[in-house]
Protein backbone atom coordinates (compact mmCIF):
# COMPACT_ATOMS: atom_id res chain seq x y z
CA UNK A 1 0.00 0.00 0.00
CA UNK A 2 1.33 3.44 -0.90
CA UNK A 3 0.67 6.63 1.00
CA UNK A 4 1.25 10.15 -0.22
CA UNK A 5 2.13 13.04 2.05
CA UNK A 6 2.60 16.71 1.36
CA UNK A 7 3.91 19.81 3.03
CA UNK A 8 2.08 22.90 1.80
CA UNK A 9 3.32 26.46 1.71
CA UNK A 10 0.55 29.01 1.18
CA UNK A 11 1.41 32.61 0.46
CA UNK A 12 -1.36 35.10 1.21
CA UNK A 13 -0.96 38.81 0.60
CA UNK A 14 -3.25 41.24 2.36
CA UNK A 15 -4.14 44.61 0.93
CA UNK A 16 -6.37 46.20 3.55
CA UNK A 17 -9.00 43.46 3.19
CA UNK A 18 -10.07 44.29 6.74
CA UNK A 19 -10.62 47.94 5.88
CA UNK A 20 -7.70 49.17 8.01
CA UNK A 21 -4.89 50.82 6.13
CA UNK A 22 -2.35 51.04 8.93
CA UNK A 23 -0.11 47.98 8.58
CA UNK A 24 0.49 47.51 12.31
CA UNK A 25 -3.15 47.99 13.26
CA UNK A 26 -4.29 45.66 10.47
CA UNK A 27 -1.80 42.87 11.19
CA UNK A 28 -3.82 41.37 14.06
CA UNK A 29 -6.88 40.83 11.91
CA UNK A 30 -4.73 39.40 9.13
CA UNK A 31 -3.21 36.91 11.55
CA UNK A 32 -6.67 35.76 12.63
CA UNK A 33 -7.66 35.25 9.00
CA UNK A 34 -4.50 33.29 8.24
CA UNK A 35 -5.08 31.02 11.22
CA UNK A 36 -8.66 30.34 10.14
CA UNK A 37 -7.54 29.59 6.58
CA UNK A 38 -4.81 27.25 7.83
CA UNK A 39 -7.27 25.31 10.00
CA UNK A 40 -9.70 24.95 7.09
CA UNK A 41 -7.01 23.75 4.66
CA UNK A 42 -5.67 21.26 7.21
CA UNK A 43 -9.12 19.72 7.59
CA UNK A 44 -9.99 19.69 3.89
CA UNK A 45 -6.66 18.40 2.53
CA UNK A 46 -5.70 16.18 5.45
CA UNK A 47 -2.22 17.69 5.43
CA UNK A 48 0.40 17.89 8.16
CA UNK A 49 2.28 21.12 7.68
CA UNK A 50 0.96 24.45 6.41
CA UNK A 51 2.93 27.65 6.42
CA UNK A 52 1.14 30.90 5.63
CA UNK A 53 3.44 33.77 4.80
CA UNK A 54 3.37 37.28 3.43
CA UNK A 55 7.14 37.28 2.82
CA UNK A 56 6.95 36.83 -0.90
CA UNK A 57 10.33 37.83 -2.30
CA UNK A 58 12.03 34.44 -1.88
CA UNK A 59 9.52 32.49 -3.95
CA UNK A 60 7.30 34.99 -5.74
CA UNK A 61 7.64 37.61 -8.47
CA UNK A 62 5.12 40.44 -8.05
CA UNK A 63 4.02 42.61 -10.95
CA UNK A 64 1.30 45.16 -11.66
CA UNK A 65 -1.43 45.13 -14.26
CA UNK A 66 -4.44 47.25 -15.05
CA UNK A 67 -8.05 46.48 -14.28
CA UNK A 68 -9.25 47.55 -17.70
CA UNK A 69 -12.92 47.44 -16.72
CA UNK A 70 -12.24 50.24 -14.25
CA UNK A 71 -9.49 52.14 -16.06
CA UNK A 72 -11.36 52.04 -19.37
CA UNK A 73 -14.36 53.80 -17.84
CA UNK A 74 -12.23 56.47 -16.22
CA UNK A 75 -9.62 57.17 -18.88
CA UNK A 76 -11.01 55.85 -22.14
CA UNK A 77 -8.35 55.42 -24.85
CA UNK A 78 -5.61 56.36 -22.39
CA UNK A 79 -6.30 53.11 -20.54
CA UNK A 80 -3.98 51.16 -22.86
CA UNK A 81 -1.09 53.51 -22.16
CA UNK A 82 -1.64 53.24 -18.41
CA UNK A 83 -1.77 49.46 -18.63
CA UNK A 84 1.56 49.41 -20.47
CA UNK A 85 3.14 51.62 -17.82
CA UNK A 86 1.93 49.37 -15.01
CA UNK A 87 3.09 46.18 -16.72
CA UNK A 88 6.55 47.65 -17.39
CA UNK A 89 7.07 48.78 -13.79
CA UNK A 90 10.42 47.70 -12.36
CA UNK A 91 10.59 45.69 -9.09
CA UNK A 92 11.59 48.89 -7.29
CA UNK A 93 8.62 50.75 -8.76
CA UNK A 94 6.26 47.90 -7.87
CA UNK A 95 7.47 48.04 -4.25
CA UNK A 96 7.05 51.81 -4.13
CA UNK A 97 3.60 51.70 -5.75
CA UNK A 98 2.39 49.04 -3.34
CA UNK A 99 3.66 50.99 -0.34
CA UNK A 100 1.85 54.07 -1.57
CA UNK A 101 -1.34 52.09 -2.19
CA UNK A 102 -1.21 50.67 1.32
CA UNK A 103 -0.72 54.14 2.76
CA UNK A 104 -3.08 56.28 0.67
CA UNK A 105 -5.15 53.92 -1.48
CA UNK A 106 -3.93 55.56 -4.70
CA UNK A 107 -0.87 56.05 -6.91
CA UNK A 108 0.08 58.34 -9.77
CA UNK A 109 1.07 56.78 -13.10
CA UNK A 110 1.88 58.91 -16.17
CA UNK A 111 0.25 61.86 -14.45
CA UNK A 112 -2.98 59.99 -13.81
CA UNK A 113 -4.24 59.14 -10.34
CA UNK A 114 -5.16 55.46 -10.04
CA UNK A 115 -7.13 53.95 -7.17
CA UNK A 116 -6.90 50.41 -5.79
CA UNK A 117 -9.77 49.22 -7.99
CA UNK A 118 -7.84 50.31 -11.09
CA UNK A 119 -4.86 48.05 -10.38
CA UNK A 120 -4.26 44.31 -10.30
CA UNK A 121 -1.36 42.84 -8.35
CA UNK A 122 -0.22 39.66 -10.10
CA UNK A 123 2.03 37.08 -8.47
CA UNK A 124 3.90 34.25 -10.18
CA UNK A 125 6.27 31.58 -8.91
CA UNK A 126 9.92 32.57 -9.21
CA UNK A 127 11.78 30.49 -11.82
CA UNK A 128 14.71 28.28 -10.89
CA UNK A 129 13.30 26.83 -7.65
CA UNK A 130 13.13 23.05 -8.06
CA UNK A 131 11.95 21.71 -4.69
CA UNK A 132 8.32 22.77 -5.08
CA UNK A 133 5.37 22.36 -7.37
CA UNK A 134 3.37 25.56 -7.62
CA UNK A 135 0.09 27.00 -8.74
CA UNK A 136 -1.44 30.45 -8.54
CA UNK A 137 -4.49 32.43 -9.52
CA UNK A 138 -2.39 35.59 -9.47
CA UNK A 139 -3.42 36.47 -5.94
CA UNK A 140 -2.58 33.38 -3.89
CA UNK A 141 0.51 31.27 -4.60
CA UNK A 142 0.45 27.65 -3.43
CA UNK A 143 3.71 25.73 -3.11
CA UNK A 144 3.81 21.98 -2.52
CA UNK A 145 7.11 20.65 -1.20
CA UNK A 146 7.80 17.57 -3.32
CA UNK A 147 10.90 16.43 -1.45
CA UNK A 148 10.56 13.04 0.19
CA UNK A 149 10.50 13.16 4.00
CA UNK A 150 10.57 9.76 5.73
CA UNK A 151 9.39 11.20 9.03
CA UNK A 152 6.39 12.73 7.29
CA UNK A 153 5.77 9.48 5.44
CA UNK A 154 5.79 7.53 8.70
CA UNK A 155 3.32 9.96 10.25
CA UNK A 156 1.07 9.54 7.22
CA UNK A 157 1.28 5.75 7.44
CA UNK A 158 0.33 5.94 11.12
CA UNK A 159 -2.63 8.15 10.29
CA UNK A 160 -3.80 5.66 7.68
CA UNK A 161 -3.48 2.84 10.23
CA UNK A 162 -5.72 4.78 12.62
CA UNK A 163 -8.19 5.37 9.81
CA UNK A 164 -8.38 1.64 9.01
CA UNK A 165 -8.91 0.73 12.67
CA UNK A 166 -11.72 3.28 12.99
CA UNK A 167 -13.39 1.97 9.85
CA UNK A 168 -13.24 -1.60 11.18
CA UNK A 169 -14.72 -0.53 14.52
CA UNK A 170 -17.55 1.24 12.74
CA UNK A 171 -18.30 -1.71 10.43
CA UNK A 172 -18.35 -4.03 13.48
CA UNK A 173 -20.93 -1.82 15.17
CA UNK A 174 -18.69 -0.96 18.11
CA UNK A 175 -19.29 2.05 20.30
CA UNK A 176 -16.61 4.29 21.78
CA UNK A 177 -16.53 2.45 25.10
CA UNK A 178 -16.08 -1.01 23.53
CA UNK A 179 -12.52 -2.29 23.98
CA UNK A 180 -10.93 -4.74 21.54
CA UNK A 181 -7.50 -6.12 20.74
CA UNK A 182 -6.12 -4.97 17.37
CA UNK A 183 -3.55 -7.06 15.53
CA UNK A 184 -2.00 -6.09 12.24
CA UNK A 185 -0.02 -8.20 9.81
CA UNK A 186 2.25 -6.95 7.04
CA UNK A 187 5.24 -8.19 5.10
CA UNK A 188 6.38 -4.60 4.63
CA UNK A 189 9.15 -3.92 7.14
CA UNK A 190 9.02 -0.18 6.45
CA UNK A 191 5.31 -0.10 7.25
CA UNK A 192 5.70 -2.13 10.44
CA UNK A 193 8.50 0.09 11.70
CA UNK A 194 6.53 3.22 10.85
CA UNK A 195 3.67 2.09 13.09
CA UNK A 196 6.07 1.27 15.90
CA UNK A 197 7.96 4.56 15.65
CA UNK A 198 4.71 6.55 15.61
CA UNK A 199 3.12 4.66 18.51
CA UNK A 200 2.35 7.86 20.43
CA UNK A 201 0.52 9.29 17.44
CA UNK A 202 -1.54 6.11 17.03
CA UNK A 203 -2.26 5.83 20.76
CA UNK A 204 -3.73 9.33 20.75
CA UNK A 205 -6.64 7.99 18.65
CA UNK A 206 -6.60 4.21 19.09
CA UNK A 207 -7.20 3.45 22.77
CA UNK A 208 -7.50 -0.28 22.09
CA UNK A 209 -4.53 -2.57 22.59
CA UNK A 210 -2.77 -2.95 19.25
CA UNK A 211 0.33 -4.82 18.13
CA UNK A 212 1.99 -6.57 15.19
CA UNK A 213 1.49 -10.31 14.82
CA UNK A 214 5.11 -10.67 13.73
CA UNK A 215 7.44 -8.57 15.87
CA UNK A 216 10.52 -9.74 13.98
CA UNK A 217 9.94 -7.11 11.33
CA UNK A 218 10.24 -4.23 13.79
CA UNK A 219 13.69 -2.78 14.36
CA UNK A 220 13.60 0.57 16.15
Amino acid sequence: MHFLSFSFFFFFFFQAEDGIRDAQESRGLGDVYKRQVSEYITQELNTFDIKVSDEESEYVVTKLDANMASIGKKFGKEGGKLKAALVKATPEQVTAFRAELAQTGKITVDGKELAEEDIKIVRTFREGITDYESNTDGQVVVLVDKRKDEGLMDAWRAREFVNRVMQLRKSAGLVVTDKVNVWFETKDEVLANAFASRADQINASVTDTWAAKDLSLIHI
Side-chain angles (χ1 to χ4, degrees), residues 42-76:
T42 298
Q43 294 171 1
E44 291 297 311
L45 297 183
N46 201 28
T47 187
F48 285 101
D49 185 24
I50 296 176
K51 297 182 181 179
V52 183
S53 174
D54 52 11
E55 296 297 328
E56 57 188 280
S57 59
E58 184 176 357
Y59 298 103
V60 177
V61 175
T62 305
K63 297 182 179 181
L64 301 181
D65 200 352
N67 178 3
M68 292 307 296
S70 177
I71 282 184
K73 289 181 181 179
K74 293 182 180 180
F75 302 104

Side-chain angles (χ1 to χ4, degrees), residues 159-178:
R159 179 181 287 185
E160 290 299 316
F161 175 80
V162 170
N163 182 45
R164 301 301 194 276
V165 171
M166 294 307 178
Q167 289 179 13
L168 287 171
R169 288 182 59 91
K170 182 178 180 180
S171 64
L174 299 177
V175 297
V176 175
T177 55
D178 289 333

Side-chain angles (χ1 to χ4, degrees), residues 108-149:
T108 300
V109 178
D110 282 351
K112 305 295 184 183
E113 187 175 278
L114 304 181
E116 287 181 295
E117 64 268 19
D118 301 324
I119 301 163
K120 293 180 180 179
I121 295 179
V122 181
R123 298 173 174 87
T124 57
F125 188 55
R126 188 177 297 279
E127 295 182 0
I129 299 175
T130 59
D131 292 333
Y132 302 94
E133 294 291 346
S134 68
N135 203 345
T136 180
D137 62 358
Q139 298 299 312
V140 177
V141 178
V142 180
L143 308 181
V144 179
D145 189 341
K146 61 183 181 181
R147 293 171 292 184
K148 188 174 181 180
D149 185 313

Side-chain angles (χ1 to χ4, degrees), residues 14-56:
F14 299 94
Q15 300 170 30
E17 290 92 339
D18 46 32
I20 301 174
R21 294 206 176 279
D22 182 83
Q24 294 302 316
E25 187 177 354
S26 174
R27 185 174 301 279
L29 294 179
D31 289 343
V32 170
Y33 179 66
K34 289 184 217 180
R35 184 174 66 252
Q36 292 172 340
V37 168
S38 296
E39 291 171 353
Y40 174 76
I41 293 170
T42 298
Q43 294 171 1
E44 291 297 311
L45 297 183
N46 201 28
T47 187
F48 285 101
D49 185 24
I50 296 176
K51 297 182 181 179
V52 183
S53 174
D54 52 11
E55 296 297 328
E56 57 188 280

